[in-house]
Amino acid sequence: MSIELNLDGTPRTVSVAARKPGWRLTVDGTPYTVSEEQGEDCVLLTVGERRYRVWRALEGNRVHLKIGGRTFSLGYEEEVSAAAHAGAAGHEVHADMPGVVVDVHCGPDAIVSAGDALLVIESMKMQITITAPRDGVVAMVHVAKNQPFEKGNLLVSLRDEEA
Amino acid sequence: MARIQSSLNISSADFRRNYGANKVRIEEFRAKQHAARFNRPQRDVERLAKQGKMMPRERLERLLDPGTPFLELSSLAANMAYDGEAPGASSITGIGIVSGREVMLRADDPSIKGGAWYPLTIKKIVRCLDMAIENRLPVVHLCDSAGGFLPLQSQLFPDKHMAGRIFRNQSILSKLNCKQLSLVFGHCTAGGAYIPGLSDYSVIVRGTGAVFLGGPPLVKAATGEVVTVDELGGCDLHTQVSGTCDYPAGSEAEAIAIGREIVSQWDRAPKWAIQQAEVEAPHYDPDELYGIIPDDIKRGFDMREVIARLVDGSRFHEYQPAYGTTLVCGYANLWGFKIGILANNGVLFNDSALKGAHFIELCNQNQTPLVFLQNITGYMVGREYEARGITKDGAKMIMAQTCSRVPKFTIMCHGSFGAGNYGMCGRAYDARFLFTWPNHQIGVMGGEQAAKTLMEVKLRQLERNAQHIDQAILDRVYHETLEAYQEQVTAYYSTSEIWDDGIIDPVDTRNALGVAISASLNAPLGDPGYGVFRF
């Protein structure tokens, strides 16, 4: 798998393959042989003919590096993002199942962020909070408290916040 | 694998309210558990001390490898039975490590009515031996029981899953090459005598240990023979003359030391090779589970938030994320073990049931154990859904789930009502382990629905008989039903009746599942194959 690395604003395609005793690193199509050994207080990294002293620390999905007087902080973004799951969130919130509105938490022109509670509905003895699928402004609430609705009915519509 | 992006707001009023309510619940649970484990009449504690006996938990502690986990099962069994006279159903069961081996431990509790077996004691013992069979675990029995509790003998002796099942299970275990060791600290009377009798190894303590089919009073009544306990079934008789027991011990501590040495001789059967990854702690703090679980059984919540606090790195590969969204399915790792999760995010529709059935088939094909996280009010009802075949789609899910060859684990996270309990691997479906959270409620339907249904039945009955319709009668039916329901739907009633393998603190779920999955790998995978799916 190759990854996209953005360094000082320049995107580079990088891949790493195991080649004992180290790795083969490819940056934008150019291969390098890389190996490392533990130094006294740092890692000694050999790239091709050159040697670097590297200090590094891991913090969750980030790695902090110090190489040749410069420091870098690299973040790793999952290839599979949560956004891909949900699909592009639309402006309309429809009912996934028939039910009754128990509570209305928003009104027209309310500014909402993704995840904010819009409505509480009850279906099959379970109360479910309907949340905003995206940031925006409530254009219209199509149902009222205690109102029953069918599957597929439009519950709330949103519009983009004006800049 | 991508990390779940939590959208939990830990400063919201909802979170804080849930957190507070669940903390109170957990304190109540811990207090009940502590009482069941340690509150004993002073008289019984002194009697045991005078006999030179340890308390049963001291024996266990000495037997287990120091610093290793012990997963206690059904710690609150019988908490709502027998007026609370048999805490823990007078026995301790659990999985622990002895001399480096994963073993099932089963201990009588002589600090309660001399360790007498109540009907629920038998149920707990049979269940723990069933688990040993299903997971191919060796068993260590810590014997010290007065025998069956005679006033309730009709509820503990005659039926298929009553006392006789203990010795049947011991025989099956032996046939499956699961070793058994009995440490005889006290009396093993009548049926109880077969526990060391059917064990591969037994150690008996001189002076206090005894094994016999009939104790001295029974012998005297039957034949007139007058004999002491030691002469009839003591340590020296059984280790020197009858050969019923193998090793004599001068004290309980010595018996435990001999027992540990015996276990250290046992071969370790290879486990099946589950996919494993490096262990990673969850990215999100499991403590936040308290703020997720609603204070109201009717409130739904996003089960992904729970998954994010159970699995390695909070990483989850969600399967069919856009289809049948009321059932969340996907792969994760827990303590490194690859698992497939099915979790309820609402009522089951046709598409969610089909997705569930399909995902179960994928996990069976991929040799991935299944973890079910239940919060379910049932399959969708109504004309439209019946017309689309909700019944046959639910049947497919039950078929795939029942016939699974991989081990299954169920956590009762919140509600478990109606047929959803079946599809999601409720008690009847042979989950290797089934644990319950203290907020859990279970029933064929919700209390209010049951009360209303019965009230309507009563109403029609009165109408049919052209009787006067008395609102007071209807109200009584409603309230009586509701009251009985409110007690019987609780997690404490459920665990009292051993409909689960114990209540656990939600934050302990990850570790409980880790021990359970590890134990399950001792048994080979079941045979592949299903029955007829109705398409």
Side-chain angles (χ1 to χ4, degrees), chain B residues 307-518:
Chain B
I307 296 169
R309 284 153 187 90
L310 292 183
V311 303
D312 288 3
S314 306
R315 296 178 195 283
F316 186 54
H317 173 88
E318 192 169 343
Y319 170 71
Q320 290 193 335
Y323 181 76
T325 51
T326 56
L327 185 67
V328 176
C329 297
Y331 297 108
N333 291 80
L334 192 147
W335 279 110
F337 302 121
K338 171 68 64 195
I339 53 171
I341 297 175
L342 291 93
N344 301 120
N345 254 13
V347 63
L348 289 161
F349 292 95
N350 299 76
D351 53 2
S352 14
L354 291 172
K355 172 181 170 181
H358 192 80
F359 184 67
I360 290 167
E361 288 188 292
L362 293 177
C363 288
N364 277 306
Q365 184 199 47
N366 201 47
Q367 307 193 4
T368 303
L370 293 163
V371 173
F372 294 85
L373 303 177
Q374 284 208 14
N375 178 26
I376 183 67
T377 54
Y379 289 88
M380 191 68 197
V381 299
R383 201 172 62 88
E384 183 192 340
Y385 301 96
E386 293 293 352
R388 279 202 243 155
I390 186 75
T391 302
K392 65 178 189 176
D393 289 343
K396 290 187 195 82
M397 188 173 165
I398 291 175
M399 176 70 76
Q401 188 265 103
T402 301
C403 297
S404 286
R405 64 191 300 235
V406 295
K408 299 177 284 188
F409 307 87
T410 303
I411 307 293
M412 295 294 188
C413 297
H414 205 45
S416 179
F417 296 105
N421 169 281
Y422 308 153
M424 291 294 293
C425 196
R427 189 57 159 176
Y429 294 85
D430 301 318
R432 297 281 186 91
F433 293 78
L434 187 153
F435 296 113
T436 293
W437 288 357
N439 52 296
H440 163 64
Q441 291 191 11
I442 186 166
V444 69
M445 56 176 86
E448 285 169 35
Q449 288 80 26
K452 274 184 203 156
T453 306
L454 282 176
M455 196 173 76
E456 269 169 40
V457 169
K458 188 80 194 166
L459 182 66
R460 277 199 297 277
Q461 188 188 30
L462 292 174
E463 280 171 352
R464 225 178 13 250
N465 300 338
Q467 277 176 304
H468 167 66
I469 293 165
D470 185 349
Q471 191 57 40
I473 293 177
L474 295 179
D475 286 349
R476 205 189 63 223
V477 169
Y478 182 83
H479 287 292
E480 280 176 0
T481 312
L482 195 60
E483 217 167 282
Y485 242 85
Q486 271 160 352
E487 182 180 285
Q488 292 175 1
V489 296
T490 63
Y492 290 109
Y493 190 84
S494 188
T495 208
S496 181
E497 293 294 311
I498 321 184
W499 297 341
D500 60 20
D501 297 312
I503 296 182
I504 55 172
D505 184 334
V507 301
D508 293 335
T509 308
R510 174 176 162 82
N511 285 344
L513 277 173
V515 173
I517 295 167
S518 171

